[in-house]
Amino acid sequence: MAWNTPGSDNSGSGRGRPPRRRPGGNGIDDVLDRLRGLFGGQGGGSGGVGRWVLLVLALWLAFNSFLLVNEQQRAVVLRFGQFSRILQPGPHFKLPWPFETAIKINATEIKTFGTNVPVLTSDENIVQVEINVQYRVSDPQKYVFGSRDANAMLQQAALSTVREQVGRSTLDTVLGARNALAVSAREQLQNSLDAYRTGLVVTELNLPNARPPEEVKPAFDDVNSAQQDKDRLISEAEAYAAQVVPEARGQAARVRTVAEGYRDASVSRAEGDADRFSLLVDQYKDAPEVTRKRLWLETVQEVLSGNRKIVGGDSRQLIYVPMDGAPEGSGRSSGSTNTSSAPLLTPEMLSPDTSSATQPPSRTERTPRPAGRPEVNR
């Protein structure tokens, strides 16, 4: 047999030689041939089956022991059904089943629960309240083992909390001031979830809408419109007060300042008059006649300066004529003199015409003056 005849080798024996590649074969055939040669060749004995079993077991152990946890997930590992540990995001290894099992939980997902429920208020009115709750898993262990169904527990607790908070409030509060109710309901709901060991945390609780039943909706719309008008008027009044009050305060401060200045001036003037009177008293004690005459002259000057004066046309002495009906102190006015208040005196009235008189006026006989000093009887 030739050395290159199929089935022969250089040693003259065909055993132990790898099978020759068949003409026209592809890459998959090569891989199968290699695996067939690795697990018992063409004989297919018990040794090949065992190798296949070991390969399948190794692959199963590898895939069952390796665990990849995503960034949004947390894995709860159970060992023989009992809680063992919590795996954080990343690759991990664990014992294969049935020794350990892992439950993946999405711990960062924000879940939402919303519903519309009728609630009875404290003033015996029924109102439709819309509830919107957002929550997520905070403790994976409590979420899995704390309660039978944590999501259903949250829904029931949310309804109970909202009913309690709304039942303690009046209808006006529910319709117009729901923010405070939402804050109180959120705190109470979180306390209930912690007491029930649900492992959930409430991120947001809102009461976006509250409306009365459809039968009385028009009347409540009128009430809401009136409430809005009231708020608008209050806002306008506050704006007006914010504008007027500073002006009034400024005016009051100005009046107060003027009054204080008048008070200080009056007090200073009174003190000056008192000091002046004290000085006059001292001067009067030293020179009574001179002081009396000076005071009389000052008084006459002050009186005459406030009255009207007329000088005769014949260059005679100054004549003081009191005018009936003239206002007091009219001579001191800085403006123009009111001449219509009293008639003016003409020179003819002051010096009457004497040419028409035929006889001079008789002179009164004077008693003769005794000459010398009367004799005194001794």
Side-chain angles (χ1 to χ4, degrees), residues 90-138:
H92 301 277
F93 286 94
K94 66 178 183 62
L95 297 178
W97 182 87
F99 301 102
E100 288 184 351
T101 58
I103 302 175
K104 294 183 179 180
I105 298 174
N106 195 337
T108 60
E109 179 185 5
I110 301 297
K111 301 179 181 180
T112 303
F113 166 69
T115 185
N116 195 343
V117 59
V119 184
L120 183 66
T121 61
S122 61
D123 52 357
E124 299 180 357
N125 289 312
I126 297 178
V127 59
Q128 295 284 341
V129 179
E130 184 178 354
I131 305 173
N132 186 8
V133 182
Q134 296 180 359
Y135 63 97
R136 63 177 179 85
V137 178
S138 62

Side-chain angles (χ1 to χ4, degrees), residues 344-360:
L344 296 178
L345 297 180
T346 60
E348 291 76 6
M349 297 174 62
L350 297 176
S351 56
D353 188 9
T354 58
S355 60
S356 60
T358 56
Q359 295 294 335

Side-chain angles (χ1 to χ4, degrees), residues 45-64:
S46 60
V49 176
R51 291 180 181 180
W52 280 104
V53 173
L54 292 177
L55 177 61
V56 173
L57 181 61
L59 293 175
W60 177 78
L61 290 176
F63 284 104
N64 204 353

